[in-house]
Amino acid sequence: MATIEGIRKAYMDFVLTEGAQPKSVYIFAKKNKMTEAEFYQHFGSFEALEQSIWEGFALNTLIEIRGQQVWPEYSSREKGLSFFYAFFEQLKSSRSFAVYSIQQQPKSFTTPRVFEKLKGVFEGFAQEIIKEGIETGELSDRRFFSKKYKDALWVQFGFVLNFWIKDNSTGFEKTDEAIEKGVNVTFDLFQRSPIDNLFEYGRFLVKNGGMQEKMGFGQF
């Protein structure tokens, strides 16, 4: 009986050996000694299979980092960094497939369809650590903007992924540097700054705009 993990591995081996997707599910199934019905029991298409592979990378990363003894003690920033480092460390063993998969995607400003499930897992994690950070006061709770924090982290994730694909440094040390600098800058933007004080002061003036007149200081 074919398993999800077995089908994933067989597909990755096929596309890397042949340089292209199988021409049909029938051909793929026959080559890997399974029936079409077994394939369709788990996946509706090769695209769905590839989405599942990327989703699996993210889910395995979460299992790994959440299993660390120090995980509960981490700040939101540290949890974000931990995910990035662990994800790309894991991806090293599947670099050839990652490069192949990304290179097959059409050039677009929108998220490639193959990353849709990965994005769902990532955004769920991002919302979780952002919520924690706001509750502890580590991150600033900004009206309207707080909801966009997860989007900023996703953009950063996409940037690092593209950087990693092109990185030819030993051990991908340049990617580690990109993660450190990029994620830290992103979280710096989420933290409280003088701009937040300015906005709060502005809201205070709007809310209490008539205070001067009430106190008889209208001429000032």
Side-chain angles (χ1 to χ4, degrees):
M1 178 66 70
T3 63
I4 291 177
E5 191 58 33
I7 294 174
R8 285 174 176 169
K9 289 180 178 178
Y11 176 80
M12 292 168 70
D13 180 67
F14 188 101
V15 298
L16 292 178
T17 301
E18 303 297 329
Q21 282 187 345
K23 291 183 178 180
S24 69
V25 171
Y26 174 80
I27 292 174
F28 175 73
K30 184 176 181 180
K31 180 178 176 62
N32 290 283
K33 297 180 174 57
M34 71 178 81
T35 65
E36 286 188 84
E38 288 179 294
F39 178 90
Y40 286 122
Q41 184 178 352
H42 300 294
F43 305 105
S45 65
F46 290 132
E47 181 180 71
L49 169 54
E50 208 158 315
Q51 288 176 338
S52 174
I53 291 173
W54 282 100
E55 178 187 33
F57 291 146
L59 291 174
N60 289 338
T61 297
L62 290 178
I63 291 173
E64 178 186 339
I65 60 179
R66 285 172 172 164
Q68 298 172 355
Q69 189 173 359
V70 295
W71 181 254
E73 302 171 13
Y74 278 171
S75 64
S76 293
R77 181 190 297 258
E78 290 169 329
K79 288 180 177 179
L81 282 166
S82 182
F83 179 93
F84 273 73
Y85 284 129
F87 182 90
F88 286 97
E89 183 63 31
Q90 176 192 181
L91 210 57
K92 288 179 182 178
S93 61
S94 300
R95 180 174 171 83
S96 294
F97 171 77
V99 172
Y100 161 83
S101 180
I102 292 172
Q103 289 179 341
Q104 301 309 304
Q105 304 312 305
K107 301 299 181 183
S108 173
F109 290 106
T110 59
T111 298
R113 287 175 58 84
V114 75
F115 292 149
E116 286 182 356
K117 289 187 176 181
L118 163 63
K119 184 179 181 182
V121 174
F122 181 89
E123 288 189 337
F125 167 73
Q127 286 177 316
E128 175 188 312
I129 63 173
I130 287 167
K131 183 174 182 290
E132 290 178 5
I134 289 175
E135 289 176 349
T136 61
E138 177 191 353
L139 307 180
S140 179
D141 187 7
R142 300 184 178 105
R143 188 179 182 183
F144 304 122
F145 292 107
S146 298
K147 295 180 180 179
K148 299 295 183 181
Y149 287 174
K150 64 178 175 54
D151 299 327
L153 281 174
W154 175 249
V155 169
Q156 186 60 233
F157 179 83
F159 168 78
V160 175
L161 183 58
N162 283 313
F163 187 96
W164 178 77
I165 290 296
K166 300 171 184 176
D167 187 7
N168 58 9
S169 62
T170 304
F172 306 107
E173 58 186 22
K174 291 296 183 182
T175 295
D176 288 341
E177 188 176 348
I179 290 173
E180 180 185 6
K181 294 182 182 300
V183 175
N184 276 319
V185 165
T186 303
F187 271 90
D188 285 344
L189 295 174
F190 297 165
Q191 290 186 314
R192 191 171 185 83
S193 70
I195 295 296
D196 292 291
N197 294 332
L198 180 61
F199 283 148
E200 284 193 5
Y201 182 56
R203 285 197 294 268
F204 171 80
L205 292 179
V206 170
K207 184 177 180 180
N208 301 278
M211 185 176 294
Q212 287 185 335
E213 287 78 6
K214 291 178 182 179
M215 296 179 66
F217 298 139
Q219 67 272 28
F220 294 101

